[in-house]
Amino acid sequence: NATLRHFYITTPFSNRVHIITWNVGSATPPDDITSLLGLNVGDGNTDMYIIGLQEVNSMINKRLKDVLFTDQWSEVCMDRLSPFGYVLVTSQRMQGLLLLIFAKYFHLPFLRGVQTETTRTGLGGYWGNKGGVSARMSVFGHTICFLNCHLPAHMENSDQRMEDFESILQQQQFEGQAATGVLDHDVVFWFGDLNFRIDDLDMQVVKSAIDNNKYSMLWEKDQLNMAKDSETVLEGFQEGPLKFPPTYKFDVGTDTYDTSGKKRKPAWTDRILWRLRVTAPLGAGKRGSISGLTSGTKVTQHSYRSHMEYTVSDHKPVTSIFTLQFPYKVDVPLVTIIVEDEWNSIADATAKFTLAPNYSRSSWDWIGLYKVGFKHHKDYVGYVWAKQEEADFHRQEHQVIWMPLPTSGLEMSSSDSSDFSSEDDSTVHIKTRSRSPSPRKGKQHRYRSSSHSRSRSCSRSGSPAQAKMKEPSITVGSPSCTTTAESESSGQPAEGSSSQVSTAREKDKNMEDSGV
């Protein structure tokens, strides 16, 4: 029927993902990360950026500052990506481990069931200097998990690295009926400073192979490659060929491998792997090969490389670009919001919205106003509650009314923030300054999304004043914009938009229906 045709389209749908892993060695961000993000050579078709960092400065004074304000690395990434239409969907920090998920703003209504997890493995599980942080979500109806790990160091700890990875997989569990574990997702991306080394070969042999671009002779002695033949937990994980120099260890500020007294042997410690979920039992044969049926999603790797030009750390960053081809696409928003393109009078300041049948109302529903180019959900200018009255239960279309908006205070410094809100639920709540703290993340986070039904370039995000909710969740709604479909296809932020709106939801126990 017509409803099913909305949810399942016959032609495959592709999603382009750019993944970055970098052990930054407690350094401050470099001045320019353009080439790391591929913005200098990109075609504008990247749908999501996944950034996994290790050894972000987590000294006590620095960590306290990061709790109160957005950390430097997150801020730099947001500042660089937001002009291209990317919004921070979610982030997760565990001491030095940081995971950032960005997506094009017009994709936000179709990223649902967002949750994050952390697992400490340092000092027997009591310290977070080692371990894993993850974010999972449903992307256009397909479950994906991104796992950023920092595993134990040193040549002799290969077995401990595998034990810690297995422990991370066992401990990370998500709510919801589908994909409760990491490996239950349709696609898993595993990346980070995995710390695997090159066995048996001495320093001179390794450096000679690097100097002569004979990387293949080093692959056979790479601990991770060797483990794929014996470790069951690695079954199904794939990795592109290592056609770039080992990314560890360098003298900081140079492209020279370690000349200190320790003289660490070069190694590919920084890796990006992926795995497709198997829906049928694996057949007999060599470990690491998949003979069962997968979920129907196809992953194509377009590039896998290091970036030697970055010298702030003793590691080089590694990036990989993938295309995920899905067999069908969920493309029906949970909430559709319609507003006037321009507000010229108080009478125009209204928002009408309709809900999908499976979207249950909440007393925490709200609609937010955002400036074009917002970076993440705390960048709202104002919001109004969209509470449901008893008379609304059977009504298909709902409406909220915005009160007069302020004419000043919207361009003030982002170094401070103060919210003005009225206890009268009919009054717009205005945030007179830009966001200062970063999103406060709990162990798991859930989002519910909505979208604009017309062909426009629209922004979404949201979470009203934190004092209003004990455990707020963010739901990204759909904006009204004055731009045309051209700006949407180009991926550039809409210019001249008069308003942007979004709807928020409280935590929902049904994880598969929630999302950003």
Side-chain angles (χ1 to χ4, degrees), residues 388-410:
Q388 183 180 31
E389 305 297 338
E390 290 187 12
D392 294 336
F393 285 135
H394 301 293
R395 186 178 300 172
Q396 292 186 342
E397 185 176 86
H398 309 272
Q399 177 176 292
V400 295
I401 301 174
W402 290 77
M403 301 302 286
L405 298 174
T407 57
S408 64
L410 301 184

Side-chain angles (χ1 to χ4, degrees), residues 14-22 33-53 77 80-81 84 86-89 98-104 107 137 139 144-148 187 189-191 271-274 299-307 309-310 317-324 326:
S14 294
N15 201 57
R16 195 174 179 92
V17 178
H18 186 123
I19 298 180
I20 300 168
T21 179
W22 192 6
I33 60 171
T34 299
S35 64
L36 189 63
L37 297 169
L39 298 174
N40 54 336
V41 296
D43 52 12
N45 291 330
T46 298
D47 297 289
M48 299 179 71
Y49 279 93
I50 315 300
I51 302 172
L53 305 178
C77 293
R80 197 68 190 89
L81 288 172
F84 292 87
Y86 296 96
V87 176
L88 182 63
V89 174
L98 176 63
L99 178 61
L100 305 172
I101 310 293
F102 289 88
K104 279 289 181 72
H107 290 330
M137 65 197 69
V139 179
I144 303 178
C145 185
F146 303 101
L147 176 59
N148 173 25
V187 184
F189 288 101
W190 173 38
F191 48 91
R271 314 286 278 269
I272 301 173
L273 296 89
W274 73 95
V299 176
T300 303
Q301 186 179 51
H302 300 286
S303 70
Y304 190 27
R305 56 164 296 198
S306 62
H307 295 258
E309 66 270 27
Y310 292 97
V318 173
T319 64
S320 187
I321 298 175
F322 298 90
T323 293
L324 281 61
F326 302 131

Side-chain angles (χ1 to χ4, degrees), residues 65-85:
K65 184 178 179 181
D66 289 348
V67 169
L68 297 174
F69 302 93
T70 308
D71 69 90
Q72 286 179 299
W73 284 96
S74 297
E75 199 68 51
V76 164
C77 293
M78 286 189 290
D79 287 344
R80 197 68 190 89
L81 288 172
S82 63
F84 292 87

Side-chain angles (χ1 to χ4, degrees), residues 11 52 65 141 160 170 177 181 187 195 209 222 243 264 273 314 319 330 336 379 386 395 409 431 433 439:
T11 56
K65 184 178 179 181
Q160 186 61 52
Q170 290 173 350
Q177 295 181 348
V187 184
N195 254 322
D222 174 76
K243 294 183 178 180
R264 299 290 189 197
L273 296 89
D314 57 355
T319 64
V330 171
T336 300
D379 285 339
R395 186 178 300 172
K431 176 177 171 181
R433 291 180 175 87

Side-chain angles (χ1 to χ4, degrees), residues 21-317:
T21 179
W22 192 6
N23 182 322
V24 298
S26 298
T28 56
D31 294 333
D32 188 2
I33 60 171
T34 299
S35 64
L36 189 63
L37 297 169
L39 298 174
N40 54 336
V41 296
D43 52 12
N45 291 330
T46 298
D47 297 289
M48 299 179 71
Y49 279 93
I50 315 300
I51 302 172
L53 305 178
Q54 307 85 40
E55 291 194 22
V56 175
N57 192 334
S58 57
M59 297 294 288
I60 295 298
N61 60 337
K62 180 64 177 172
R63 194 71 183 97
L64 289 174
K65 184 178 179 181
D66 289 348
V67 169
L68 297 174
F69 302 93
T70 308
D71 69 90
Q72 286 179 299
W73 284 96
S74 297
E75 199 68 51
V76 164
C77 293
M78 286 189 290
D79 287 344
R80 197 68 190 89
L81 288 172
S82 63
F84 292 87
Y86 296 96
V87 176
L88 182 63
V89 174
T90 189
S91 65
Q92 183 61 55
R93 174 87 180 264
M94 183 183 73
Q95 287 183 216
L97 276 168
L98 176 63
L99 178 61
L100 305 172
I101 310 293
F102 289 88
K104 279 289 181 72
Y105 59 90
F106 47 77
H107 290 330
L108 296 182
F110 309 104
L111 309 184
R112 304 174 184 173
V114 179
Q115 298 179 62
T116 61
E117 263 288 0
T118 63
T119 302
R120 296 179 175 87
T121 59
L123 295 179
Y126 290 99
W127 194 241
N129 65 320
K130 296 292 191 294
V133 295
S134 65
R136 63 85 56 202
M137 65 197 69
S138 171
V139 179
F140 293 96
H142 303 269
T143 57
I144 303 178
C145 185
F146 303 101
L147 176 59
N148 173 25
C149 289
H150 193 183
L151 300 181
H154 306 307
M155 179 74 69
E156 65 275 12
N157 287 331
S158 182
D159 290 342
Q160 186 61 52
R161 286 187 272 276
M162 291 310 312
E163 290 179 14
D164 282 11
F165 178 52
E166 195 161 4
S167 177
I168 291 168
L169 293 180
Q170 290 173 350
Q171 293 184 47
Q172 297 213 350
Q173 298 293 316
F174 305 97
E175 295 184 14
Q177 295 181 348
T180 57
V182 171
L183 300 185
D184 296 328
H185 291 77
D186 293 332
V187 184
V188 176
F189 288 101
W190 173 38
F191 48 91
D193 181 359
L194 307 185
N195 254 322
F196 289 100
R197 308 304 171 97
I198 297 174
D199 263 342
D200 299 334
L201 304 177
D202 63 31
M203 174 76 79
Q204 294 306 318
V205 173
V206 172
K207 285 192 172 181
S208 176
I210 295 170
D211 292 340
N212 293 285
N213 293 323
K214 294 182 178 180
Y215 302 130
S216 58
M217 67 177 292
L218 304 180
W219 297 344
E220 298 175 357
K221 298 298 182 179
D222 174 76
Q223 291 177 338
L224 181 54
N225 284 335
M226 292 189 293
K228 290 178 182 178
D229 291 329
S230 58
E231 299 289 344
T232 303
V233 70
L234 294 179
E235 197 163 8
F237 277 98
Q238 303 177 61
E239 182 181 20
L242 298 167
K243 294 183 178 180
F244 49 88
T247 54
Y248 173 85
K249 172 180 168 99
F250 291 87
D251 291 339
V252 175
T254 74
D255 292 334
T256 304
Y257 285 106
D258 187 19
T259 61
S260 71
K262 294 182 179 179
K263 288 187 169 56
R264 299 290 189 197
K265 187 162 55 174
W268 286 291
T269 56
D270 310 280
R271 314 286 278 269
I272 301 173
L273 296 89
W274 73 95
R275 180 185 187 274
L276 292 171
R277 180 172 60 91
V278 177
T279 56
L282 292 176
K286 183 180 177 181
R287 289 191 180 276
S289 64
I290 298 180
S291 57
L293 298 175
T294 63
S295 61
T297 299
K298 180 181 178 182
V299 176
T300 303
Q301 186 179 51
H302 300 286
S303 70
Y304 190 27
R305 56 164 296 198
S306 62
H307 295 258
M308 297 291 287
E309 66 270 27
Y310 292 97
T311 62
V312 298
S313 168
D314 57 355
H315 290 251
K316 300 299 181 183

